[in-house]
Amino acid sequence: MSEHKIVVIVPTYNEKENIVLLIPEIKKHLPQADILVVDDNSPDKTSMAAKEVGEKYSGVYVLDREAKEGLGKAYVSGFRWALQKGYDLIFEMDADFSHDPAYLPDFVAAAQEHDLVIGSRYITGVNVVNWPLSRLLLSYFGNVAARCIAGLQIRDCTGGFKCFHAHTLRAIDLSKVTSSGYSFQVEVNYYVQEQGLSIHEIPIIFKDRVHGVSKMSTAIIREAVALLWKLRLKKILSFS
Ligand SMILES: Nc1nc2c(ncn2[C@@H]2O[C@H](COP(=O)(O)OP(=O)(O)OP(=O)(O)O)[C@@H](O)[C@H]2O)c(=O)[nH]1
Ligand SMILES: [Mg+2]
């Protein structure tokens, strides 16, 4: 389907039960893709579990980081690794099965035409299954805020199921990305939009995790609110 060299980056923190199931599922749906697990020294030994399963397949790598620094820092390390290895298409994907690997080929197809493809929960109504109402409202209004305050033209600005062309990641200055939590998604989308690159959303159904625990915290929410106002200010200053 595609001649592209593909890697799926999966950041992990205490995702042992999920990662051993996810690696085979990714290989089933997109056999030509390599996988990079970026683990922040998970106490549950996710890294070791990923390496054990990975030995059964070709092209499964684990990037071991020393300490938990948040999803954003893990992705920036993964992006740098992938760019250095010469991948053409670079995926972001959560380990917790909220992102169904069956969608991976749809992203590759859409990436033939676009610089960034985003799996979106909010283009055909609200496609979220089993999330508590409080979590859904936080996500939904977080997205409304990202659109209104930071001026993003994307319906799902905070989702983490994405496929970047290498040239898209090269066009943004990764050393400028400051978010460590999940506002990382908003920040990267902002820089891609700022470059005038083509962003396309495809519908996905998002399911709540079954195994493991969420890493969402009030610190992550505070960081996200501060980021939106920082981007708003940046936008105002760029017009003056
Ligand atoms: N390497 C690394 N991965 C992380 C860190 N924090 C979260 N992750 C991973 O990032 C992905 C998304 O994290 P989740 O805990 O599912 O957070 P979320 O999807 O925003 O929130 P939920 O609604 O609870 O699922 C998962 O694969 C996590 O294991 C971190 O500090 N370091
Ligand atoms: Mg999750």
Side-chain angles (χ1 to χ4, degrees):
M1 185 190 198
S2 158
E3 298 305 312
H4 289 121
K5 198 176 160 200
I6 304 172
V7 64
V8 179
I9 303 180
V10 185
T12 54
Y13 192 75
N14 285 345
E15 300 285 5
K16 184 180 169 181
E17 288 162 295
N18 287 313
I19 201 69
V20 296
L21 302 174
L22 186 67
I23 290 170
E25 282 298 304
I26 294 173
K27 286 289 183 183
K28 177 173 135 196
H29 291 284
L30 203 60
Q32 72 271 37
D34 287 353
I35 300 170
L36 176 69
V37 176
V38 185
D39 186 70
D40 279 5
N41 207 358
S42 297
D44 77 347
K45 306 261 187 295
T46 299
S47 165
M48 205 189 283
K51 284 171 191 158
E52 269 171 34
V53 176
E55 273 172 16
K56 299 182 190 145
Y57 302 87
S58 65
V60 179
Y61 306 97
V62 179
L63 185 60
D64 286 306
R65 305 181 77 247
E66 264 174 31
K68 179 163 168 41
E69 282 193 296
L71 170 91
K73 304 275 184 242
Y75 267 128
V76 169
S77 316
F79 289 163
R80 290 193 200 284
W81 181 95
L83 291 174
Q84 210 226 328
K85 302 276 177 204
Y87 288 96
D88 306 303
L89 293 182
I90 299 160
F91 274 87
E92 283 186 14
M93 188 177 186
D94 287 358
D96 57 6
F97 280 93
S98 288
H99 300 151
D100 187 338
Y103 291 119
L104 287 165
D106 299 346
F107 282 78
V108 176
Q112 307 304 312
E113 311 272 331
H114 300 281
D115 302 309
L116 166 60
V117 181
I118 298 177
S120 181
R121 296 163 287 188
Y122 304 125
I123 43 173
T124 48
V126 175
N127 287 340
V128 174
V129 179
N130 280 348
W131 247 5
L133 184 63
S134 56
R135 188 69 183 78
L136 177 61
L137 290 175
L138 178 67
S139 170
Y140 190 82
F141 287 105
N143 272 284
V144 172
R147 288 165 60 82
C148 295
I149 302 172
L152 279 166
Q153 285 152 22
I154 301 161
R155 300 225 60 95
D156 192 341
C157 311
T158 52
F161 199 6
K162 295 156 93 163
C163 177
F164 297 87
H165 273 269
H167 67 246
T168 307
L169 290 177
R170 282 208 185 87
I172 64 179
D173 180 359
L174 290 174
S175 62
K176 250 187 0 192
V177 178
T178 54
S179 304
S180 54
Y182 92 132
S183 59
F184 164 79
Q185 306 297 357
V186 176
E187 192 176 7
V188 170
N189 289 340
Y190 181 92
Y191 294 135
V192 174
Q193 182 177 298
E194 191 179 48
Q195 290 298 317
L197 294 164
S198 133
I199 304 175
H200 180 69
E201 292 180 84
I202 60 172
I204 59 157
I205 295 172
F206 177 100
K207 296 193 195 109
D208 195 15
R209 61 163 74 241
V210 175
H211 301 296
V213 288
S214 168
K215 281 99 210 166
M216 177 55 78
S217 65
T218 45
I220 286 177
I221 298 168
R222 255 185 272 121
E223 183 192 44
V225 173
L227 174 85
L228 291 185
W229 290 105
K230 185 185 117 179
L231 295 178
R232 173 65 175 241
L233 195 63
K234 195 171 172 306
K235 214 173 165 62
I236 294 169
L237 293 176
S238 70
F239 284 125
S240 61

